[in-house]
Amino acid sequence: MEASVREGLRKVIAYIEGIWIECPSGSAGHSGLQGLMSGTISRDAENILDAYEGAMSRFFRRITPDFERAWYDRRDLGGRIRYELMFDKRISGTVRQVPASRESSGIRRLISMLPALLAYVSGRVVVIDEMDSGVHVKLICDMISELRLERDEQLIITTHNISLMSDADPKSVFVMSSDLDGDRTVSSLASIARTQRTNNNAVRYLNGLFGGIPCPAMLDFPNILRGFESSLK
């Protein structure tokens, strides 16, 4: 195969394989760990834990005022190490140790995204699904602004955070719509309607100009409840 495939095609395949895909249910990238929250790792690869301790400490100190540091609680299993991610946080004036698994869904989402964000800054093409899941709107906007300054590589995200439309290039914002037959289309804002710098595309989106918004409906919850309860009898 190596002798039969030209160098150009090998580069294309390597480029596609290098795309990092991150979604709430799991990552198609490779952090080097069994899981960022907990797992086991070979003692020879313990430096990966050290690297993520430092990266997460620097990351969360910037965005969480009560945060002190991230570290891994490590248990020796012979040739392997069992680890669990811990946070040192100031709570009511006292620094306490909190397992990261007990943090909010937003913090856990940021933890899972960190390897993908580092991959993007290192020059890889990164796709992040539901980037805003559980994360504050302002933080997502600030992160996107900083990441745009870092590289000319592609960061592709799906989001329900319409505030990102206000500052983004309309050519870089895409809306997915579907019809009654279940056919879906994906179109950039610029191809749907004429946009100018003075336009508030977030408001225009909510007003239905670009499509891709939930169908308006009157939800009769009492009727839904009656149907539910009747099925239980």
Side-chain angles (χ1 to χ4, degrees):
M1 289 294 293
E2 286 289 329
S4 302
V5 176
R6 292 187 177 183
E7 180 65 21
L9 180 56
R10 284 200 293 268
K11 288 182 178 179
V12 171
I13 294 172
Y15 180 81
I16 293 173
E17 289 180 338
I19 296 175
W20 187 300
I21 301 174
E22 166 62 33
C23 57
S25 59
S27 174
H30 180 60
S31 67
L33 296 178
Q34 189 179 61
L36 287 172
M37 293 285 196
S38 62
T40 64
I41 191 172
S42 169
R43 178 169 290 281
D44 295 336
E46 190 175 4
N47 63 312
I48 298 176
L49 296 178
D50 299 334
Y52 274 113
E53 282 180 343
M56 277 190 269
S57 292
R58 288 187 287 272
F59 179 67
F60 282 107
R61 280 195 203 107
R62 291 283 305 276
I63 62 177
T64 309
D66 60 353
F67 180 86
E68 289 284 334
R69 69 174 181 127
W71 55 282
Y72 281 104
D73 182 25
R74 312 180 193 197
R75 307 288 173 86
D76 192 352
L77 301 178
R80 298 189 66 79
I81 295 173
R82 183 180 299 281
Y83 61 89
E84 180 182 10
L85 180 61
M86 304 289 294
F87 283 173
D88 283 356
K89 302 180 68 175
R90 290 188 303 276
I91 302 175
S92 298
T94 302
V95 176
R96 304 178 189 273
Q97 297 176 355
V98 180
S101 59
R102 296 187 180 181
E103 283 289 348
S104 67
S105 60
I107 294 295
R108 296 198 306 271
R109 182 74 185 108
L110 289 170
I111 293 171
S112 69
M113 279 196 296
L114 183 58
L117 299 177
L118 294 177
Y120 168 74
V121 177
S122 71
R124 293 175 63 176
V125 175
V126 171
V127 181
I128 301 179
D129 184 37
E130 297 290 351
M131 186 179 188
D132 59 327
S133 179
V135 184
H136 196 283
V137 171
K138 179 66 165 59
L139 177 56
I140 290 294
C141 292
D142 289 348
M143 286 173 57
I144 293 294
S145 296
E146 289 199 26
L147 288 168
R148 280 194 304 215
L149 298 175
E150 292 293 336
R151 302 283 305 180
D152 292 328
E153 297 291 348
Q154 279 191 306
L155 175 64
I156 304 166
I157 68 171
T158 65
T159 178
H160 290 93
N161 183 354
I162 63 171
S163 61
L164 293 175
M165 290 182 175
S166 300
D167 298 325
D169 183 344
K171 295 179 182 179
S172 299
V173 180
F174 295 80
V175 175
M176 184 171 69
S177 303
S178 60
D179 58 24
L180 294 177
D181 292 327
D183 294 327
R184 288 170 171 77
T185 58
V186 178
S187 307
S188 71
L189 298 190
S191 69
I192 299 172
R194 183 178 179 183
T195 59
Q196 300 176 354
R197 286 185 177 273
T198 56
N199 292 141
N200 187 327
N201 286 325
V203 173
R204 299 172 86 200
Y205 169 74
L206 288 176
N207 288 336
L209 181 62
F210 304 118
I213 59 176
C215 297
M218 293 297 292
L219 294 173
D220 188 347
F221 280 106
N223 182 53
I224 295 172
L225 176 61
R226 285 193 295 270
F228 174 75
E229 292 178 335
S230 65
S231 298
L232 295 177
K233 295 178 180 179

